[in-house]
Amino acid sequence: MDILFNKTMDLLSGMLDYRSKRHKIIVSNIANIDTEDFKPSDISFKTEFGKTSSIQMTTTDPGHIGWMGSKNGPVSFEVKTSEEKVKIDTEMANLAENHLMYNMTVDMLARKFRGINTVLKETK
Amino acid sequence: MDLTTSLKICGSGLAAQRAKLDIVTSNLANVNTTRTPEGGPYRKKTIALAAETVADNFDSTIKEAVRSVKIDEVKEDANSIKMVYDPSHPDADAKGYVAMPNINIMAEMADMITASRAYEACVTAFDSTKNMTLKTLEMGR
């Protein structure tokens, strides 16, 4: 299965997960714009994406150096709560940015699927 | 992935801002009201919103950060009465003063615009969520 659904899938689905989590947080910040004592939050990666998903570089010679930062483990997120009040312009900008990145990630996943589909169809 | 939670939060924000707009409109409509069912002139009302945790069993990492909003209480400002000299008014007292609601129209208008902008922000967030969900469904095509 790894040949068909390789690491690209893992990376992209991890990205989608992060984007949908972030979307939820931004929406909650916007909904609570008028709530007294509400502190907005944001989410970021605790570890680098590429490092957590075990991408391996092929070593065909003992002298080759492999992927230096390969560590196994799930991507972990960090939620930070700000001490300031909700800034609507920042939140709207974050919303738009996150939205575009989400759509881009979905597009890339769809392309991947379409690629596999083409391979399956055209080799008949 | 559970974007319906986002939709619910957007909905709570829309409801809260609409309630706020209702209160502002009621204050504006009753700037000169001297008679109410409770007796006495109309008293200015203010709304207090509170953040509420969302029941979402899937996301433990962002549980604390994601909050929906609810209407906590509508307060009545007891001191919002001013005495206006108008002897011809049917509710004037022996000295010719009428108890009128002390509502600042400018402040109410400003509140109204704030609420309407916040409502718009919630609508944009809702639209964005809807668009993302549709985009996800498109992936399978």
Side-chain angles (χ1 to χ4, degrees):
Chain A
M1 282 302 258
D2 244 21
I3 301 159
L4 263 187
F5 304 104
N6 51 16
K7 293 285 176 273
T8 320
M9 295 285 181
D10 286 350
L11 277 171
L12 287 177
S13 64
M15 191 67 169
L16 269 189
D17 186 31
Y18 166 69
R19 291 291 163 199
S20 69
K21 274 181 171 51
R22 184 149 190 250
H23 181 78
K24 246 186 264 180
I25 290 180
I26 296 169
V27 163
S28 131
N29 290 346
I30 293 173
N32 281 291
I33 187 168
D34 263 340
T35 310
E36 273 176 59
D37 305 326
F38 179 83
K39 301 277 180 268
S41 312
D42 203 356
I43 189 170
S44 55
F45 309 129
K46 217 186 241 171
T47 40
E48 271 176 57
F49 232 121
K51 283 184 182 170
T52 49
S53 59
S54 52
I55 291 175
Q56 297 293 335
M57 274 180 143
T58 319
T59 48
T60 49
D61 187 276
H64 285 170
I65 301 168
W67 180 254
M68 298 300 281
S70 85
K71 261 185 272 167
N72 286 323
V75 188
S76 60
F77 304 110
E78 193 175 24
V79 178
K80 271 189 194 144
T81 307
S82 155
E83 280 309 305
E84 292 169 44
K85 282 210 80 184
V86 182
K87 282 179 249 150
I88 191 68
D89 39 8
T90 320
E91 294 303 334
M92 294 316 275
N94 282 345
L95 182 82
E97 186 235 344
N98 197 56
H99 181 177
L100 284 175
M101 290 301 284
Y102 183 93
N103 279 4
M104 190 201 74
T105 317
V106 172
D107 246 6
M108 283 166 76
L109 255 178
R111 264 159 215 253
K112 182 79 191 161
F113 282 129
R114 245 179 282 145
I116 294 169
N117 207 14
T118 310
V119 170
L120 292 175
K121 265 191 200 152
E122 303 303 322
T123 47
K124 259 190 232 169
Chain B
M1 196 206 68
D2 181 25
L3 284 172
T4 48
T5 312
S6 307
L7 290 176
K8 268 184 221 157
I9 297 169
C10 286
S12 77
L14 287 173
Q17 294 308 327
R18 200 215 254 299
K20 201 178 167 189
L21 218 53
D22 281 351
I23 297 290
V24 171
T25 327
S26 148
N27 285 344
L28 279 175
N30 288 293
V31 232
N32 287 320
T33 307
T34 52
R35 292 171 195 178
T36 50
E38 307 89 50
Y42 177 86
R43 281 156 213 271
K44 179 178 143 60
K45 285 166 184 63
T46 44
I47 193 166
L49 304 177
E52 201 180 26
T53 44
V54 188
D56 185 354
N57 302 322
F58 301 106
D59 270 332
S60 55
T61 37
I62 57 169
K63 212 171 191 168
E64 291 306 308
V66 174
R67 300 279 161 99
S68 71
V69 62
K70 66 164 186 192
I71 300 144
D72 204 29
E73 73 170 320
V74 177
K75 273 181 260 179
E76 211 169 54
D77 192 351
N79 300 320
S80 66
I81 287 172
K82 62 178 175 193
M83 301 306 285
V84 177
Y85 184 70
D86 185 2
S88 63
H89 197 284
D91 290 327
D93 61 8
K95 287 178 184 164
Y97 281 94
V98 193
M100 285 281 195
N102 188 12
I103 293 167
N104 184 347
I105 296 181
M106 291 305 155
E108 294 299 326
M109 292 300 275
D111 270 357
M112 189 176 81
I113 292 165
T114 316
S116 128
R117 288 286 177 267
Y119 190 89
E120 271 172 40
C122 285
V123 171
T124 311
F126 190 93
D127 253 1
S128 174
T129 311
K130 199 183 77 181
N131 192 297
M132 277 163 76
T133 318
L134 288 175
K135 190 81 191 167
T136 319
L137 292 174
E138 244 173 56
M139 185 164 55
R141 277 188 208 154

